[in-house]
Every structure is written in structure tokens, then in C-alpha cells.
Amino acid sequence: MKPVFILPVLTMGLLTGCVTTQTPSASSQIFAMDTVMSLEVYGDGAQAALDNAVSTIYHLEDLWDVTEEDSEVSAINQSQGQPVPISPETATLLDQSKGLSQLTDGALDLTAYFAVSAWGFTTGDYRVPSQSELDALKTQIDYTQLSLNLEEQTATLPDGMRLDFGSVAKGDLGAILSEQLQNQGITSALLYLGGNVQTIGSKPDGSLWRVGIQDPSDPEQAALGVVEVSQKAVVTSGSYQRYFEENGETYWHILDPETAAPARSGLTSVTVIGENGTICDGLSTALFVMGLEDGISFWKQHPELDLDIIWVEESGNVTITSGLETTFQLTEAQSDREVTVIAP
Amino acid sequence: MTPLRGNSTQKLTRLSLLSTIALTIFMIEAQIPVPIPIPGVKLGLANIVTVYGMFALSPVDTLLILLVRIFLGSVFSGQMMIFFYSLGGGLCCWLSLCLCKRLFTIKELWLCSPLSAIFHNIGQLLVAALFLKSWSVFAYLPYLLLSGILTGLFTGICTQFLLQRLSHVQNKRK
Amino acid sequence: MNRTTKLVVILLLVVAAVCSLYIFRASTQTSAQQLQIYQHGTLIQTIDLAHVQEAYTIELKGENGAYNTISIESGRVCISHASCPDQVCVHQGWISDSTLPIVCLPNEVILEITGGGADLDTIAG
């Protein structure tokens, strides 16, 4: 027996004392797009990739901030019906959003900005508009009026309508960052973009990311359940995320484009899990507006999207799609809830 | 115990039989839930066939059985990543067994099993480190080494018994 | 047993012992909850929550008179007072695990606990 044989084994055993598990190679917490974002990147080249990701976030924030005078979205909003040149990122986002609006028959509509600000959700000066005001506002919501020229990279929006990317911006940011990080050779990363979660690959040890789903009835404390994913976006739209109360009535930020008022569909949150963050983000809003029954039939009609969905009703009942049967679990404190599984 | 002799049909039958046994053990073991949530920790029952083959047959025959088991095992489990992990682990394990065969006699066979289990785990970790481009997976090494030694002793003793019984059968046939 | 066998047996025993020791040490360490305090995106302080003997507060000053008062007790933390208009961080109350960090958006303050009981990587919502 040669000692040469012993050495590698022993040193390997001892060396591992210095290695810590699961510490991100690079991480960052930043404030952007009016929310908090936390990025964890693992593996070689993590720091450089993370730095690029952060500058992409700030760049897209500049383009898509509706409250900023010289952003692209403001330029479209102030165009008075004239074509406005837009960047490739904005063109792609608008194109995808229009596609989602068509797919959901207008349940997602980016042109609801006038209504959103009338309710005060943009500034925090909340108020309940009168019925006649709402009747006027809802005529100003119509995604079909937005026209895109992808060859010349221009967008045209009629005067009297206003765009807002709020319902898709963070999801699209996740999709863009995911692609960008992977192009730089990153195979494992966790992006938390103000409630939206985008995972790249699996955890460094190969296991799945454990993503908690917030409990709409007690969003600040315990999670409702956990879903295990890899290479997926997890996006929730919930009435608890932004709301105000007036005269005993609760009004939240997810508006029904048909009424220009908060969508009352009997749901408190919808979580969409899929490969593409833009689709997940846009559809989580649209599915919230649609309600449970229409949402289920939408899911059944569109297997090509390859999505998994979690619906939480006001009653507390949870409905999940069949793909989540093994990967979704209620947390212990929530285990008495009723969970219905929908098959395709 | 002598290396397998006889015509090629006999050899083919023996190899296919052992491959099937290895694959069956592998697939059944995959269904047993492991109480420890660390990737790579398992009983490694299929290693019984590898160690047995190394001592009862030849290293080349054992390699053939091993490769067939790894390939079919990952095809049947439907996860291609398993193929690469198993291949890395399997090859390291096989190399260490080749060395063991020179160092030990059949009486110390129970020792070869934990040694090969350790090298199987190291091989798996190397593949994982290669894929994830990060050495941090080696933080699992102590867990895998300990479990490898314990489960290896278990499968080693199993193999020792197996060899005794099988040699009995073989002698009778002769 | 010949010499080689003895050597290998001893080697295996040593490896097993070293591993057991490592695993024991690792498993006793992970129960510690680390509180990380971020301001404007930079980590400014890390506190071992599990070993806080007496409750105390930290005053976190920001620009233009902004402040957050952080109350720290053994195993939990909250923001007890803050200058922010929405007071969301104060209303969140105590947190003791990694489920959800306390975030004060206006003052750009994050209190995050790692290594606690909940084994979630993040939370969507």
C-alpha cells in the first residue's frame, strides 16, 4: 500500500472543511422599478454577470418608468397619435403584451394607465372615481388602438390613451435577465424582482429552488405553500399587493379593463409558473381578471403555453394544475386548506 | 474462483444475466425513498454486481456490465443527467476496483466495496462540479464519504456472502 | 490480515471519523439565525440573532432625516419606528425566519434573516 493512495482521499476530506454550502458566488440587493430586487448568481463569472444584470435593470427602468418624463413609455404617452421610435426591448415587450391581450381577449390591457391613476394607484393618493367617471375611463382602455411597426421600430398610440408597463415589466425583466445571464455562462441563479421570481437552472447542488407562495390572507407572515422549480419564472398577482379601503370596501390595483374598476372575480391571488417571465407576468394579471372558471378553461385551451397555475379564492380554497401535483405543497400551518387539482 | 471460461454463448448469457440483475437492483433501489436529503446518498446495491463481477469475472467484463447498467438505467429513469453522474461515478468506481483487485485477495472483498463506493461518490461529485462549474458541491463530500463507507460495508458483506453461495453452485455444476 | 488490509481499514476509520466530526459541526452550526441589515443596497451589519442576550435597538439614519428604529431580540427582529410615510415596515411586525424579509422601500432598508427554520429560497407574491 503506497501512501500516495491515501493522500488525495485525506486531503479531499479535510479541504471540504473550508467550503461552505450554498453561498452565492455574487449577490446584490437593489431598489429599482419602485420595488426591491435581490439577485443571487452562482458559479464562475458570477460577479461580472451580476454587474451586467444590475446595469440592465437600471437601463430598462429608465425606458419603462411611466412617471419619468423622458422615458420611452412617456414618449409614447405624449406622442398625440404620432409614431414614436422605440428601443428593441420596448418593441419586443409591446409586441408580446399585445399578443397576450389578444390571447386573453383583453383581460390583460396595457392601455389602462388613465384608469390606474384615476384610482390613485400610481401616486398613493387613493380615491374611488364616480360611476360616470369610470364609464368614461373604460372607453379609454383598448389595446387594439396601440399599433406597432416592428420593422421601423415605432409605436403609435392615439391621444386620450395612456400606456403603463406595470403588469408585464418585472416579468419581462426576468426573462431578459435570464437570457442575458445564461449567455454569459451562468447555469444557476435566483432573481427576486419585487415579488416576481425568476430561477435560472437549479441550485448549485442540483436540487430544485424552493419558492414560497404568499398567503393572500396574511401576506406578511407565513407562506401559503411551496413550489419546487428549476429554470422557471414564478409570478403572482394578488389583490393584497396594493390596495386601499374606503367606507368598509377594499379596492385593489388589478383593474378589469371592461369596467375600469378593481376586478372582483372571487380570487385573491393567481400564481403562474412557466418558462417565460413575460408570459407568466401578463397572464397572472389576466387570469386574476378572468376568475377561476374562465381561467381553468383558458389553461385547458392553451397547453402549448406549458404553464402551471395556482388559484387562491376568497374562500381560501386553492386550485392547482396537474403539473404541480407533486411539486406544490401547502405549508404545515396551511395544511387544512382544500386543494383541487385540475387535469388538462 | 477462476475467471469465466467456456464458449462465447455461455459468456454472453452470463453477462446479460448479470446486467439484468444489476439493472433490476438499480431500478428497484431508485424507488426506495432515501431518508437523508442529500443528493447521491443511497445504498448502492447495484455495486454488489460490480464488485462480484470484478472478482468472479474479469475487469473488462465488469466494465461492460457496468456500462450497460448505467446506460439502460438512465434511459429507464428518463433523466439524462443521471447518465453522466452515473458514468463519472461508475468509471471511478471501476478504476478503484481494478486497483483493489491487485491489492486484495477475495477474503478482503468486503473492504473493496466501501473503497469503490467512496470513489463512486468522488466521481459523481467531479461530474457535478464540472457541470455546475463550481467546487462548492464538494461540501457534500464528507456526507457522501461517510454514507459510502457505511453502505459500502453493507453491500461488501452482501457480496462476500453472494460469492460464497455462488461458488458453491458453480462447483456443483462442475 | 496483511499489512495493506490493516492500512486500508485504519484509513477508512480515519476518514469516517473526520467526516462524522465535520457533519456534527455543520449540523450544530446551521441553527444560528443571521440577521443581515442592508441600506441602499449595501450590507451594513450582520447580527447573530440566536445569540442575542438582551433586547436592544439600532437607529438607522438615512438622508434628509429619514430613520428606521430596529428592535432586536433573541431570535427575532422588527422595525419599531420609521420615518417612512407608508409605515409598511413597522406594520409587518416581528420576523424570525427567512420566509419574508422586512423591506422599507422609501428608506431603502432591508432586514433579512438567513439560516433560520424556514427552508425557502425565496417567496413569490
Side-chain angles (χ1 to χ4, degrees):
Chain A
M1 181 72 176
K2 302 274 177 345
V4 199
F5 179 52
I6 311 173
L7 271 173
V9 183
L10 262 187
T11 41
M12 269 183 164
L14 294 172
L15 266 179
T16 50
C18 323
V19 187
T20 48
T21 354
Q22 302 287 305
T23 311
S25 312
S27 69
S28 180
Q29 305 252 22
I30 62 168
F31 290 85
M33 296 191 177
D34 200 23
T35 183
V36 61
M37 300 186 177
S38 154
L39 318 176
E40 295 174 5
V41 184
Y42 298 81
D44 283 346
Q47 190 59 51
L50 178 74
D51 293 344
N52 288 337
V54 170
S55 54
T56 302
I57 293 175
Y58 288 133
H59 171 63
L60 293 178
E61 180 185 28
D62 287 344
L63 292 182
W64 297 342
D65 188 348
V66 71
T67 59
E68 197 60 55
E69 281 292 302
D70 45 4
S71 69
E72 271 189 5
V73 61
S74 295
I76 301 171
N77 281 340
Q78 290 148 9
S79 64
Q80 298 180 323
Q82 295 305 305
V84 177
I86 49 173
S87 62
E89 293 95 332
T90 309
T92 314
L93 175 59
L94 284 175
D95 188 38
Q96 273 186 299
S97 309
K98 267 197 88 165
L100 290 174
S101 298
Q102 279 157 1
L103 204 63
T104 57
D105 206 14
L108 171 75
D109 201 316
L110 297 197
T111 58
Y113 183 63
F114 268 144
V116 177
S117 50
W119 285 89
F121 287 112
T122 47
T123 53
D125 299 326
Y126 300 124
R127 58 183 271 273
V128 181
S130 67
Q131 190 55 50
S132 58
E133 199 180 344
L134 289 179
D135 288 340
L137 282 170
K138 68 187 184 195
T139 63
Q140 294 172 307
I141 307 175
D142 185 2
Y143 70 93
T144 58
Q145 298 291 313
L146 167 74
S147 58
L148 274 177
N149 187 331
L150 289 176
E151 267 162 37
E152 290 173 24
Q153 301 263 335
T154 58
T156 318
L157 186 72
D159 202 16
M161 291 180 86
R162 291 290 185 269
L163 270 180
D164 168 26
F165 294 171
S167 50
V168 285
K170 286 184 289 175
D172 198 45
L173 176 64
I176 289 174
L177 292 179
S178 165
E179 197 189 333
Q180 184 186 320
L181 287 168
Q182 285 176 85
N183 285 342
Q184 291 171 83
I186 298 299
T187 54
S188 177
L190 179 65
L191 313 179
Y192 172 89
L193 309 167
N196 281 26
V197 173
Q198 175 82 47
T199 62
I200 291 158
S202 328
K203 286 200 233 179
D205 62 18
S207 61
L208 299 171
W209 301 103
R210 290 173 56 80
V211 180
I213 306 298
Q214 250 171 308
D215 175 10
S217 51
D218 190 8
E220 275 156 7
Q221 289 300 332
L224 170 79
V226 184
V227 58
E228 294 189 317
V229 295
S230 76
Q231 192 65 28
K232 288 271 163 78
V234 182
V235 182
T236 301
S237 281
S239 51
Y240 61 89
Q241 288 162 338
R242 199 171 286 186
Y243 64 91
F244 67 95
E245 283 169 28
E246 200 173 292
N247 299 328
E249 194 82 51
T250 307
Y251 302 92
W252 49 82
H253 71 298
I254 306 171
L255 302 184
D256 184 345
E258 276 183 21
T259 60
R264 295 190 190 279
S265 55
L267 294 172
T268 48
S269 87
V270 177
T271 301
V272 181
I273 299 149
E275 291 247 345
N276 181 289
T278 321
I279 293 175
C280 292
D281 203 358
L283 286 186
S284 70
T285 308
L287 287 167
F288 187 97
V289 172
M290 284 183 202
L292 182 61
E293 271 179 40
D294 288 357
I296 291 173
S297 48
F298 177 86
W299 177 73
K300 287 183 177 174
Q301 281 161 21
H302 295 283
E304 79 282 358
L305 294 173
D306 195 18
L307 299 174
D308 278 307
I309 304 168
I310 304 167
W311 291 271
V312 185
E313 291 176 83
E314 279 166 0
S315 61
N317 288 350
V318 178
T319 305
I320 61 174
T321 54
S322 51
L324 294 171
E325 206 171 350
T326 50
T327 53
F328 174 78
Q329 259 189 321
L330 292 173
T331 51
E332 249 169 65
Q334 307 279 344
S335 53
D336 52 338
R337 279 181 195 252
E338 206 173 298
V339 178
T340 315
V341 182
I342 304 294
Chain B
M1 178 79 42
T2 47
L4 197 70
R5 289 189 211 285
N7 60 37
S8 57
T9 316
Q10 207 177 348
K11 183 174 169 176
L12 185 69
T13 317
R14 176 66 66 98
L15 286 186
S16 353
L17 199 59
L18 281 172
S19 301
T20 315
I21 293 172
L23 186 61
T24 311
I25 296 178
F26 179 78
M27 292 310 290
I28 290 176
E29 197 192 338
Q31 306 303 315
I32 304 172
V34 185
I36 304 156
I38 293 166
V41 169
K42 58 173 183 173
L43 265 176
L45 291 174
N47 204 23
I48 293 178
V49 178
T50 317
V51 178
Y52 167 81
M54 198 55 117
F55 282 84
L57 313 173
S58 72
V60 180
D61 291 340
T62 311
L63 186 63
L64 286 174
I65 297 171
L66 188 67
L67 290 178
V68 167
R69 191 259 292 169
I70 290 172
F71 177 70
L72 290 180
S74 43
V75 167
F76 287 165
S77 63
Q79 286 168 284
M80 222 40 214
M81 274 315 287
I82 289 188
F83 175 72
F84 293 108
Y85 285 122
S86 302
L87 191 65
L91 288 179
C92 274
C93 167
W94 180 77
L95 282 173
S96 70
L97 278 175
C98 288
L99 191 71
C100 282
K101 206 183 175 185
R102 285 161 175 262
L103 289 172
F104 302 110
T105 64
I106 205 148
K107 276 188 179 161
E108 286 103 32
L109 186 138
W110 58 276
L111 248 183
C112 300
S113 192
L115 277 176
S116 63
I118 285 177
F119 279 92
H120 185 274
N121 287 332
I122 290 174
Q124 276 185 319
L125 282 180
L126 283 174
V127 173
L130 206 70
F131 268 107
L132 302 167
K133 298 192 185 72
S134 158
W135 291 105
S136 60
V137 286
F138 272 88
Y140 284 124
L141 188 64
Y143 299 89
L144 293 180
L145 286 180
L146 191 65
S147 84
I149 291 171
L150 294 176
T151 60
L153 276 176
F154 173 71
T155 57
I157 292 165
C158 289
T159 319
Q160 196 99 48
F161 278 126
L162 185 74
L163 264 175
Q164 277 163 12
R165 298 291 156 92
L166 280 184
S167 69
H168 179 65
V169 171
Q170 260 176 353
N171 291 340
K172 254 190 188 171
R173 289 266 162 89
K174 274 173 191 169
Chain C
M1 267 201 255
N2 63 21
R3 208 169 137 263
T4 318
T5 317
K6 275 184 194 160
L7 253 172
V8 172
V9 170
I10 291 168
L11 171 72
L12 284 181
L13 284 175
V14 169
V15 171
V18 169
C19 291
S20 309
L21 198 74
Y22 172 89
I23 293 169
F24 177 74
R25 265 186 41 202
S27 63
T28 48
Q29 272 173 356
T30 45
S31 61
Q33 302 156 286
Q34 298 288 326
L35 167 68
Q36 291 171 333
I37 304 176
Y38 291 86
Q39 192 178 25
H40 306 300
T42 40
L43 179 64
I44 55 165
Q45 205 171 347
T46 303
I47 295 163
D48 187 352
L49 275 188
H51 293 101
V52 172
Q53 303 292 338
E54 244 171 77
Y56 63 101
T57 61
I58 295 175
E59 197 80 8
L60 212 57
K61 297 251 189 297
E63 288 152 30
N64 304 324
Y67 69 91
N68 293 75
T69 309
I70 301 167
S71 293
I72 291 158
E73 283 183 12
S74 176
R76 60 180 198 161
V77 65
C78 77
I79 293 185
S80 43
H81 300 280
S83 60
C84 55
D86 58 12
Q87 298 286 301
V88 168
C89 56
V90 177
H91 291 143
Q92 186 170 347
W94 296 96
I95 63 164
S96 57
D97 58 36
S98 60
T99 307
L100 208 63
I102 299 180
V103 176
C104 179
L105 266 183
N107 295 351
E108 303 202 350
V109 170
I110 302 171
L111 305 185
E112 195 178 43
I113 296 176
T114 54
D119 53 350
L120 297 180
D121 296 310
T122 186
I123 188 155

